[in-house]
Amino acid sequence: MLGVLRHPVVVTADVNLNVVALTVAGLLSRLWRLTYPRAVVFDEVYYGQYISFYMKRVFFLDGSGPPFGHMLLALGGYLGGFDGNFLWNRIGAEYSSNVPVWSLRLLPALAGALSVPMAYQIVWELRFSHGAAMGAALLMLIENALITQSRLMLLESVLIFFNLLAVLCYLKFCSSQKHRPFSLNWWLWLTLTGVACSCAVGIKYMGIFTYLLVLGVAAVHTWHLIGDQTLSNVSVLCHVLARAVALVGVPVVTYLLFFYVHLTVLCRSGPHDQIMSSAFQASLEGGLARITQGQPLEVAYGSQVTLKSAFGKPVPCWLHSHQSTYPMIYENGRGSSHQQQVTCYPFKDVNNWWIVKDPGRHQLEVSNPPRPVRHGDVVQLVHGMTTRFLNTHDVAAPLSPHAQEVSCYIDYNVSMPAQNLWRLDIMNRESDTEVWKTILSEVRFVHVNTSAILKLSGAHLPDWGFRQLEVVGEKLSRGYHESAVWTVEEHRYGRSQEQKDRELELHSPPQMDIGRNLSFMARFLELQWRMLTVSSDDAEHKYSSTPLDWVTLDTNIAYWLHPRTSAQIHLLGNIVIWVSAGLATTLYALLFCWYLLRRRRNICDLPEESWLRWVLAGALCVGGWAANYLPFFLMEKTLFLYHYLPALTFQILLLPVVLQHISEHLCRSEFQRSLMGAVVVAWYSIACHVFNVLRPLTYGDTSLSPSELKALRWKDSWDILIRKHSQDPTQ
């Protein structure tokens, strides 16, 4: 012990100065004047409103992707002291003094900056030279589109960071596998691979492409490992289980954790509530939770209820009736029953209340003790304000002639008797004797006489129906469809038999206190399903493009224009890098096929170690490009140039790999290698020159004259904004 105190504790560390220098250069390129412009730039108007929701803990639904990316942006706002008070309604709007622009843009900028040294490390872990690794990093450093995207409150740079981190961690794991399997480093890199993959998917659904790429490469490596005769069966089983836990189990748990934090933070009712189920809405503070607090849980005979359609399309609505009747003759000449209209109404209204009646009794109040309604019971639904029974019969619906009209029955003393018995089906029941529950039960009403199902058609009735939504009876069909499913949202136990007293009761709040909370998994599954199925606005955009436009950079996006000068920011790539990356990918594919054919003929142009290195580089780089690019040809959504950036990143990693391969294996003499080196230096100098020329459009801090802007329009398809009367910013 005393010996330890007599001698100093010395810690040694290997520091790669290349990585340090690249990190500093990346930080300078991404963080320089980060608060400029102090205005909303392009999709910042979209992400900013979600940051405000996080600051105010208000629930929202975004169908573009999971919540992890939004949470990272919100973390920047939280660290900067943002209170969420800013109106995100217009691109170009000046930020108010309470908006911490630097901290909001900081995390995307850091992700973009760290991607530079990470590119170096990936190529180095692929066992290529320091020169090739430096080349990949320097190309990432001067790629204009990557700089632009990482300097704003956007998520592509964060997605790219986690894509690269997943690949790097897996390569580190492969290195540990060769030297010390099941060591601490081995477990660390394997687990980090799974976490990074989950983070990539948590940023945007596009991250699943890289996750599947890593899973595919890991599956191939595991398959080879299973065939290794030097390993025992137990050892092989441990290897397989470890990979399954780290690359499948860990990502699933991490992904669930994102949603757990998301739903824990966003605990208050907000503008997106109505698309969720009544049970979900009731789990939020305020809104429906304030209305439903204290409601009875079990629906009984005599209960007064409002029935909300679980479909939620075209708008959330409640089963509704009023004194008006269907017209005798419709515009198309068809006749109706002239019964009282039944519709689905998208607003809270006293006419949304219905009373659940036992067909064998006359009473309309709850008995003591209450008699609960169960799955399979036959009930009658009585409209609270008009006391008429929900009815359907063999008369065509007004807008859906293939279905039956649904009405509240009026006795006209004609040969059309009431048909008002409905069988209750609880769709999410756990047993056939389950009780009908408020909010939690998803129910279907099946007409006893005709087997028709009470269903929302979604069509808007004409003016005689006050533009409300049509409700029909559709013949019993198999399967589950939300348009035929209803949930009890508001509920009270009726205590009055007289109609006047009952009308007063319908206007009064519930009295009983019974809390209900959805489990996390139930909320997660519903939110995830809504995110995947919510309809997004896929209208054509001025700057939308197709995947074919991306490879040759035939498009750009004008992100921001100074309100007084010609200073502007564009998403526009370094065309030298983009074209070179495309050529490198093509050349790799040709060389790979050539080598593969010759190896089939037992002609090995490359040593085995070089061949395996070449194949792994192609699997990760060409595979990464294809996995992040080709799926967009199958997508029916509005696409933009920034969707190509993750794929471009993998191409940039491949470019120096191909150049080194040409120099080492295709250049036969020292003179050819020297000439190749000179060509590469000249090529990179041209790329740097292009970066410098496009720099004013990347950073937007320089006002160019109309002639200078026209000179930057290298392609007719590029949309460079030119003011007729521009003003110098210093004036």
Side-chain angles (χ1 to χ4, degrees):
M1 183 68 182
L2 293 175
V4 173
L5 296 175
R6 290 194 188 103
H7 301 286
V9 177
V10 179
V11 178
T12 59
D14 293 329
V15 178
N16 189 329
L17 294 181
N18 286 344
V19 173
V20 174
L22 289 170
T23 303
V24 171
L27 290 171
L28 288 175
S29 66
R30 270 64 175 180
L31 296 179
W32 184 78
R33 294 193 66 186
L34 189 61
T35 58
Y36 181 86
R38 194 176 172 81
V40 179
V41 179
F42 201 63
D43 274 352
E44 287 187 340
V45 72
Y46 170 76
Y47 292 110
Q49 58 185 311
Y50 297 131
I51 295 174
S52 290
F53 285 141
Y54 273 114
M55 296 301 102
K56 297 178 179 181
R57 306 192 68 179
V58 171
F59 174 78
F60 68 86
L61 175 67
D62 177 25
S64 69
F68 183 53
H70 300 85
M71 289 194 293
L72 288 179
L73 296 179
L75 176 62
Y78 175 78
L79 295 176
F82 183 41
D83 57 9
N85 292 320
F86 183 77
L87 187 60
W88 307 88
N89 63 347
R90 181 173 60 86
I91 296 175
E94 292 288 330
Y95 284 123
S96 55
S97 58
N98 69 306
V99 180
V101 180
W102 191 83
S103 64
L104 285 172
R105 292 175 178 169
L106 177 61
L107 285 176
L110 288 177
L114 294 177
S115 297
V116 175
M118 205 176 297
Y120 172 91
Q121 291 180 295
I122 288 174
V123 176
W124 175 244
E125 286 295 330
L126 285 169
R127 291 176 290 128
F128 288 89
S129 66
H130 279 288
M134 283 294 292
L138 292 175
L139 289 173
M140 293 280 289
L141 181 67
I142 64 169
E143 210 300 296
N144 298 74
L146 293 179
I147 295 175
T148 299
Q149 201 71 11
S150 61
R151 286 174 48 81
L152 301 170
M153 197 196 313
L154 306 172
L155 290 180
E156 275 66 33
S157 65
V158 188
L159 173 62
I160 290 169
F161 170 81
F162 283 111
N163 282 347
L164 296 181
L165 182 62
V167 172
L168 177 60
C169 289
Y170 183 75
L171 291 174
K172 292 276 191 182
F173 160 74
C174 290
S175 180
S176 299
Q177 170 70 24
K178 293 177 182 177
H179 301 104
R180 295 182 61 195
F182 297 105
S183 64
L184 183 61
N185 272 348
W186 186 91
W187 279 108
L188 174 66
W189 292 118
L190 181 60
T191 305
L192 284 179
T193 301
V195 172
C197 287
S198 184
C199 289
V201 178
I203 297 294
K204 284 194 170 187
Y205 290 127
M206 290 167 53
I208 200 170
F209 302 145
T210 302
Y211 178 37
L212 293 176
L213 170 73
V214 173
L215 275 183
V217 174
V220 172
H221 287 170
T222 304
W223 182 253
H224 289 305
L225 185 141
I226 292 172
D228 188 349
Q229 297 297 318
T230 63
L231 298 176
S232 66
N233 291 339
V234 173
S235 180
V236 169
L237 180 62
C238 290
H239 274 285
V240 173
L241 289 178
R243 285 159 173 78
V245 170
L247 298 182
V248 178
V250 170
V252 169
V253 172
T254 307
Y255 188 76
L256 289 173
L257 180 62
F258 297 151
F259 277 87
Y260 182 82
V261 175
H262 176 73
L263 291 171
T264 301
V265 173
L266 304 184
C267 58
R268 295 172 181 164
S269 175
H272 297 175
D273 290 7
Q274 287 196 339
I275 199 171
M276 309 303 293
S277 70
S278 299
F280 193 102
Q281 293 181 54
S283 68
L284 300 171
E285 297 176 9
L288 183 62
R290 187 172 60 248
I291 297 172
T292 60
Q293 184 179 8
Q295 292 185 158
L297 179 62
E298 295 184 348
V299 178
Y301 290 107
S303 285
Q304 300 167 357
V305 299
T306 62
L307 294 166
K308 183 182 180 184
S309 171
F311 195 35
K313 296 178 182 179
V315 291
C317 61
W318 292 263
L319 190 66
H320 175 94
S321 187
H322 40 244
Q323 292 284 356
S324 300
T325 58
Y326 291 108
M328 291 286 289
I329 303 295
Y330 297 125
E331 289 89 343
N332 58 11
R334 288 192 297 110
S336 79
S337 66
H338 200 48
Q339 299 282 332
Q340 182 172 304
Q341 296 175 17
V342 171
T343 65
C344 205
Y345 189 52
F347 301 100
K348 301 282 187 181
D349 189 88
V350 71
N351 281 313
N352 297 344
W353 285 93
W354 299 82
I355 302 170
V356 181
K357 180 182 176 297
D358 183 349
R361 301 192 182 187
H362 293 292
Q363 66 187 53
L364 294 178
E365 75 272 13
V366 176
S367 60
N368 190 14
R371 292 186 303 122
V373 183
R374 300 181 183 275
H375 169 75
D377 286 353
V378 174
V379 301
Q380 292 173 309
L381 293 177
V382 182
H383 187 240
M385 297 302 291
T386 63
T387 66
R388 290 184 174 136
F389 289 75
L390 186 71
N391 183 83
T392 188
H393 36 226
D394 192 18
V395 174
L399 301 181
S400 306
H402 62 280
Q404 294 178 184
E405 174 194 272
V406 174
S407 62
C408 279
Y409 183 74
I410 302 175
D411 188 1
Y412 289 121
N413 292 319
V414 294
S415 57
M416 186 180 286
Q419 298 181 19
N420 51 32
L421 299 179
W422 301 85
R423 188 182 75 249
L424 181 77
D425 279 355
I426 301 179
M427 304 301 293
N428 59 341
R429 65 185 181 277
E430 295 181 358
S431 71
D432 288 340
T433 59
E434 181 155 330
V435 174
W436 186 8
K437 296 184 179 68
T438 306
I439 290 178
L440 302 178
S441 295
E442 297 177 349
V443 303
R444 189 171 66 169
F445 296 98
V446 182
H447 192 237
V448 172
N449 299 76
T450 64
S451 297
I453 301 174
L454 185 69
K455 180 180 177 182
L456 171 67
S457 77
H460 285 272
L461 295 170
D463 291 340
W464 55 257
F466 310 101
R467 310 300 298 176
Q468 295 173 19
L469 298 172
E470 181 190 43
V471 173
V472 300
E474 193 165 274
K475 291 295 184 180
L476 183 61
S477 59
R478 293 182 180 179
Y480 175 94
H481 196 278
E482 287 183 322
S483 62
V485 176
W486 305 83
T487 57
V488 172
E489 188 171 272
E490 297 176 74
H491 175 212
R492 60 171 59 87
Y493 282 165
R495 301 298 182 189
S496 304
Q497 181 67 15
E498 296 298 324
Q499 177 62 12
K500 288 185 178 180
D501 296 334
R502 193 160 51 244
E503 289 182 13
L504 291 174
E505 198 172 49
L506 291 173
H507 285 91
S508 64
Q511 301 298 321
M512 298 180 65
D513 285 326
I514 297 179
R516 62 185 62 81
N517 289 305
L518 277 184
S519 66
F520 161 70
M521 283 305 299
R523 298 172 73 203
F524 161 73
L525 291 173
E526 179 179 347
L527 178 57
Q528 182 66 88
W529 175 250
R530 294 294 185 188
M531 291 170 65
L532 292 172
T533 57
V534 66
S535 58
S536 57
D537 184 11
D538 291 332
E540 195 71 19
H541 189 280
K542 178 181 179 181
Y543 292 109
S544 62
S545 52
T546 66
L548 291 176
D549 297 327
W550 302 340
V551 179
T552 53
L553 198 59
D554 286 335
T555 183
N556 71 307
I557 304 176
Y559 271 3
W560 173 81
L561 176 65
H562 194 283
R564 293 178 300 279
T565 72
S566 63
Q568 53 196 279
I569 294 176
H570 286 254
L571 183 67
L572 187 59
N574 188 318
I575 194 168
V576 172
I577 296 176
W578 286 55
V579 172
S580 301
L583 292 175
T585 305
T586 304
L587 183 57
Y588 177 92
L590 294 174
L591 286 173
F592 178 80
C593 292
W594 173 253
Y595 291 146
L596 202 61
L597 287 172
R598 287 174 62 82
R599 288 176 72 87
R600 190 64 179 165
R601 300 292 298 172
N602 288 324
I603 304 173
C604 297
D605 298 290
L606 301 176
E608 190 63 22
E609 183 180 352
S610 298
W611 168 249
L612 293 176
R613 183 180 64 182
W614 176 251
V615 170
L616 180 59
L620 290 174
C621 298
V622 178
W625 169 79
N628 284 277
Y629 174 58
L630 298 181
F632 287 106
F633 285 95
L634 305 177
M635 294 185 185
E636 296 181 358
K637 59 178 288 186
T638 306
L639 300 175
F640 296 92
L641 180 62
Y642 55 72
H643 286 122
Y644 186 63
L645 296 182
L648 174 71
T649 305
F650 285 99
Q651 277 192 314
I652 291 176
L653 296 179
L654 180 69
L655 185 48
V657 168
V658 172
L659 292 176
Q660 179 181 335
H661 181 82
I662 293 173
S663 177
E664 289 183 353
H665 299 284
L666 300 184
C667 294
R668 301 298 182 183
S669 66
E670 192 62 36
F671 172 75
Q672 289 177 337
R673 292 191 183 93
S674 300
L675 182 61
M676 178 68 184
V679 170
V680 170
V681 170
W683 164 79
Y684 186 77
S685 300
I686 295 172
C688 289
H689 174 69
V690 171
F691 161 74
N692 192 55
V693 170
L694 296 179
R695 184 194 170 283
L697 302 182
T698 301
Y699 290 90
D701 57 352
T702 304
S703 180
L704 302 178
S705 66
S707 59
E708 290 173 321
L709 290 171
K710 288 179 181 178
L712 290 178
R713 193 179 181 187
W714 297 344
K715 289 194 172 188
D716 292 337
S717 55
W718 290 3
D719 185 15
I720 308 297
L721 306 178
I722 301 176
R723 291 184 184 275
K724 293 183 178 179
H725 304 288
S726 61
Q727 205 175 356
D728 192 279
T730 59
Q731 292 181 350

